[in-house]
Amino acid sequence: QVQLVESGGGLVQAGGSLNLSCAASGRTFSRYAIGWFRQAPGKERDFVAAISWNGVSTYYADSVKGRFTVSRDNAKNTVYLQMNSLKPEDTAVYYCAASLSWRPRAYDDWGQGTQVTVSS
């Protein structure tokens, strides 16, 4: 099990950028794939991006390809989501989640989320 804490959310104008962080506790963090998800008000939680345990593999939802970049620093037990060219439709609570499997059907551990609001 790993504990996750997201940070870096906030209010930004359309076209702006934010860099979210997902900090993890536990010595086994480097074994976990990490996914980013988001949930807008009244909508289901959607997949955004994921990164493999060693950072070699990544994949993205079509809606964020070319704008968002996921990366990790295992020495700091942290995964990042760099979000550029933000749009109002990116407004949501963003969550990170951990799994010992790559591209799992479900993730095992979740953070509490960080709010991202993009104004038009």
Side-chain angles (χ1 to χ4, degrees):
Q1 188 176 13
V2 62
Q3 288 75 45
L4 304 171
V5 178
E6 303 93 338
S7 62
L11 174 64
V12 64
Q13 289 188 333
S17 298
L18 283 173
N19 190 23
L20 304 185
S21 297
C22 173
S25 62
R27 292 177 294 178
T28 60
F29 171 73
S30 61
R31 297 173 55 192
Y32 287 83
I34 300 295
W36 283 98
F37 296 78
R38 65 187 182 187
Q39 187 167 19
K43 296 187 177 181
E44 294 185 351
R45 186 160 54 191
D46 292 329
F47 169 79
V48 175
I51 188 165
S52 61
W53 66 273
N54 57 2
V56 171
S57 298
T58 59
Y59 70 107
Y60 299 89
D62 288 343
S63 58
V64 306
K65 279 181 183 177
R67 300 189 298 122
F68 290 12
T69 302
V70 60
S71 62
R72 70 190 296 159
D73 186 342
N74 284 343
K76 296 182 178 180
N77 276 16
T78 303
V79 171
Y80 305 96
L81 184 67
Q82 176 66 43
M83 306 187 297
N84 299 326
S85 302
L86 283 162
K87 306 174 181 179
E89 51 264 43
D90 294 318
T91 295
V93 177
Y94 283 70
Y95 301 88
C96 61
S99 172
L100 289 172
S101 301
W102 176 232
R103 304 188 71 160
R105 294 182 63 182
Y107 282 77
D108 302 309
D109 302 299
W110 292 80
Q112 309 99 312
T114 185
Q115 176 70 47
V116 171
T117 303
V118 184
S119 63
S120 58

